[in-house]
């Protein structure tokens, strides 16, 4: 790590053409580059190692909401004076761990900062965590007389953090530096992934009725809930609607032949298993008489099937299925069942009840 007394340099820092941007040509060159690197709409920009605030000022003038951070009190004082009246906030603190708390930004901007830090890879990971989904890191770096960071190293460090990385050489543009330069200078714009639409697995569950009894199957060799009772169930496959999936799963698991018209929608439940992703389950009711006599058609996944009274369900059940059947018995139609990460997969009467019943619309009555 290079040690520089930035506080001592604060008074003369802006004398460099690319620091103070006093020359209109240099200022215009940086303003144009910044316009290309930053989002086209007003955004929250975090300028780390902002120095006297020259790039912060350009970003603020382009309509962005700027927060600058610098370790040097002298630099901070000059940046605050330079950005007075713009609405920008200038904080005193380190660039590697900026004092922004839980705030998140659309852009993290840093010019000639990363090369000074002892662990650039760790710093970039932290900076990426300060971004909102779809945000970007804008890094201006280079190699000067043996000091600095080559673009290859930073690109490699950014690769696991970004969806795409744009490399822009800057050495060939003397307007940026106020003179011709022959060393390596570049910008990297690393864009993180934009928010994606939420998707869920869709389950189907059969409530096969024989009078007051329902059919349950004991899971085996599946890696989830093995040894526990669960209703005949499975996932909707591509191209299927939920009724077609239920008809298929009933035939595959318990050998009964149902038609879509034999199924009655009983319950819809959104569920999250312990440590898992959310999924939505459709529970369908069907009569034993319509289905025929069930049998265990998947002995590699199910050790036994048996009828159980709906009002006396076994204790050793998958909690999700138990909650669904209890809600069904109570006449409910829509339920959210959201496990905490430490909850057991198995039903436990002493564990918190995670089922939340959703009220049903009165339908305009």
């Amino acid at each position: 790590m290079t040690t520089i007394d930035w506080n001592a340099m604060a008074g003369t820092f802006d004398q460099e053409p690319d620091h103070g941007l006093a020359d209109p040509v240099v200022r215009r060159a940086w303003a144009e580059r910044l316009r290309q690197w930053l989002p086209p709409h007003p955004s929250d920009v975090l300028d780390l190692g902002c120095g006297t605030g020259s790039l912060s000022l350009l970003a603020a003038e382009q309509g962005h909401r700027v927060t600058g951070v610098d370790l040097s009190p002298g630099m901070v004082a000059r940046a605050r004076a330079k950005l007075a009246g713009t609405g920008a906030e200038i904080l005193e603190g380190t660039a590697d761990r900026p004092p922004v708390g839980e705030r998140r930004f659309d852009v993290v901007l840093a010019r000639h900062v990363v090369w000074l830090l002892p662990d650039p890879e760790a710093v970039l990971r932290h900076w990426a965590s300060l971004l909102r989904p779809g945000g970007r890191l804008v890094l201006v770096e280079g190699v000067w007389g043996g000091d600095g960071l080559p673009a290859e190293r930073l690109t490699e460090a950014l690769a696991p953090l970004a969806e795409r990385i744009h490399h822009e050489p800057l050495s060939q543009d003397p307007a940026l530096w106020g003179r011709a330069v022959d060393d390596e200078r570049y910008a990297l714009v690393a864009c993180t992934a934009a928010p994606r639409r939420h998707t869920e697995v869709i389950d189907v569950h059969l409530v096969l009725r024989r009078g007051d009894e329902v059919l349950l199957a004991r899971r085996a060799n599946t890696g989830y809930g093995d040894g526990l009772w669960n209703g005949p169930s499975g996932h909707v496959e591509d191209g299927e609607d939920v009724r077609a999936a239920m008809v298929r799963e009933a035939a595959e698991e318990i050998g009964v032949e149902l038609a879509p018209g034999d199924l009655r929608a009983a319950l819809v439940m959104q569920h999250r298993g312990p440590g898992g992703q959310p999924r939505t389950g459709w529970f369908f009711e069907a009569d034993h008489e319509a289905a025929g006599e069930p049998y265990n058609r998947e002995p590699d996944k199910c050790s036994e099937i048996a009828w159980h009274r709906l009002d006396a369900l076994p204790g050793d059940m998958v909690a999700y299925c138990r909650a669904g059947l209890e809600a069904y018995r109570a006449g409910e139609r829509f339920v959210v069942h959201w496990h905490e990460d430490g909850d057991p997969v198995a039903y436990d009467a002493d564990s918190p009840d995670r089922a939340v019943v959703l009220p049903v619309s009165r339908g305009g009555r």
Side-chain angles (χ1 to χ4, degrees), residues 265-285:
L267 175 78
V268 177
M269 175 187 282
Q270 188 190 35
H271 164 71
R272 176 186 180 272
Q277 295 298 314
R279 58 181 59 204
T280 297
W282 284 72
F283 288 70
F284 286 99
E285 179 189 73

Side-chain angles (χ1 to χ4, degrees), residues 13 107 119 187 220 225 254 338:
F13 189 76
V107 179
D119 190 347
I254 57 173
W338 216 256

Side-chain angles (χ1 to χ4, degrees), residues 209-275:
R209 295 293 302 267
R210 188 177 73 175
D212 293 333
E213 296 177 317
V214 294
L215 186 74
L216 298 180
R218 193 183 292 277
R219 299 175 65 89
N221 306 314
T222 67
Y224 181 86
D226 290 333
L228 302 176
W229 291 103
N230 198 62
S233 59
H235 299 161
V236 177
E237 296 180 353
D238 285 344
E240 286 185 320
D241 66 31
V242 289
R243 294 192 308 168
M246 189 75 269
V247 167
R248 175 183 52 76
E249 289 288 349
E252 291 176 355
E253 292 193 9
I254 57 173
V256 298
E257 299 296 331
L258 291 166
D262 297 326
L263 301 173
R264 298 179 293 273
L267 175 78
V268 177
M269 175 187 282
Q270 188 190 35
H271 164 71
R272 176 186 180 272

Side-chain angles (χ1 to χ4, degrees), residues 339-352:
H339 273 303
E340 299 294 332
D341 287 346
D343 287 349
V345 171
Y347 167 74
D348 182 352
D350 295 326
S351 292

Side-chain angles (χ1 to χ4, degrees), residues 31-56:
E32 181 55 33
R33 297 281 181 159
L34 211 58
R35 190 172 287 108
Q36 296 171 16
W37 298 334
L38 300 183
H41 49 80
S43 304
D44 292 312
V45 176
L46 178 61
D47 184 5
L48 296 176
C50 67
T52 60
S54 294
L55 292 190
S56 290

Side-chain angles (χ1 to χ4, degrees), residues 21-339:
L21 308 185
D23 185 329
V25 174
V26 176
R27 181 181 177 82
R28 246 189 332 270
W30 279 103
E32 181 55 33
R33 297 281 181 159
L34 211 58
R35 190 172 287 108
Q36 296 171 16
W37 298 334
L38 300 183
H41 49 80
S43 304
D44 292 312
V45 176
L46 178 61
D47 184 5
L48 296 176
C50 67
T52 60
S54 294
L55 292 190
S56 290
L57 180 59
L58 291 182
E61 290 175 345
Q62 292 177 12
H64 299 290
R65 300 173 294 273
V66 178
T67 300
V69 176
D70 202 277
L71 180 63
S72 161
M75 296 285 191
V76 167
R78 283 163 175 77
R80 286 173 177 167
K82 190 178 291 187
L83 280 99
T86 65
E89 180 182 19
I90 307 297
L91 305 174
E92 184 178 326
T94 62
D96 58 343
R97 285 292 186 272
V100 294
E102 298 301 314
R103 294 165 60 187
R104 294 297 177 265
F105 300 85
D106 303 301
V107 179
V108 171
L109 168 67
R111 181 175 67 167
H112 302 165
V113 174
V114 183
W115 75 284
L116 295 166
L117 303 174
D119 190 347
E121 288 77 11
V123 169
L124 293 178
R125 289 194 296 271
H126 181 65
W127 288 359
S129 75
L130 301 177
L131 292 172
R132 298 186 178 109
R136 62 185 71 179
L137 293 168
V138 179
L139 309 176
V140 179
E141 291 294 335
V143 179
W144 311 271
D147 290 326
L149 288 172
E152 291 79 5
R153 179 179 174 185
L154 276 192
T155 301
E156 183 178 349
L158 290 168
L161 307 174
E163 189 172 61
R164 63 185 186 276
I165 303 171
H166 169 66
H167 172 255
E168 191 168 324
L170 302 178
S171 302
Q172 78 283 8
D173 187 354
L176 290 170
W177 317 108
R179 64 187 186 280
V181 297
D182 58 6
D183 45 26
E184 180 187 7
R185 306 188 186 197
Y186 60 88
L188 294 176
V189 181
C191 298
T192 61
R196 290 179 170 84
R197 289 185 177 180
H198 175 66
T199 59
E200 288 188 0
V201 170
I202 304 297
D203 294 330
V204 288
H205 301 257
L206 182 61
V207 185
L208 188 62
R209 295 293 302 267
R210 188 177 73 175
D212 293 333
E213 296 177 317
V214 294
L215 186 74
L216 298 180
R218 193 183 292 277
R219 299 175 65 89
N221 306 314
T222 67
Y224 181 86
D226 290 333
L228 302 176
W229 291 103
N230 198 62
S233 59
H235 299 161
V236 177
E237 296 180 353
D238 285 344
E240 286 185 320
D241 66 31
V242 289
R243 294 192 308 168
M246 189 75 269
V247 167
R248 175 183 52 76
E249 289 288 349
E252 291 176 355
E253 292 193 9
I254 57 173
V256 298
E257 299 296 331
L258 291 166
D262 297 326
L263 301 173
R264 298 179 293 273
L267 175 78
V268 177
M269 175 187 282
Q270 188 190 35
H271 164 71
R272 176 186 180 272
Q277 295 298 314
R279 58 181 59 204
T280 297
W282 284 72
F283 288 70
F284 286 99
E285 179 189 73
D287 296 323
H288 169 244
E289 291 80 3
E293 195 60 36
Y295 66 95
N296 184 3
R297 198 177 177 189
E298 294 185 326
D300 57 324
K301 299 179 183 178
C302 171
S303 61
E304 60 177 319
I305 64 172
W307 295 96
H308 296 265
R309 287 185 58 85
L310 187 58
D311 60 358
L313 294 170
D316 53 341
M317 287 188 68
V318 174
Y320 170 29
C321 179
R322 172 83 181 222
L325 289 178
E326 288 181 346
Y328 159 76
R329 178 170 174 263
E332 305 298 346
R333 291 295 176 259
F334 301 97
V335 178
V336 172
H337 188 265
W338 216 256
H339 273 303

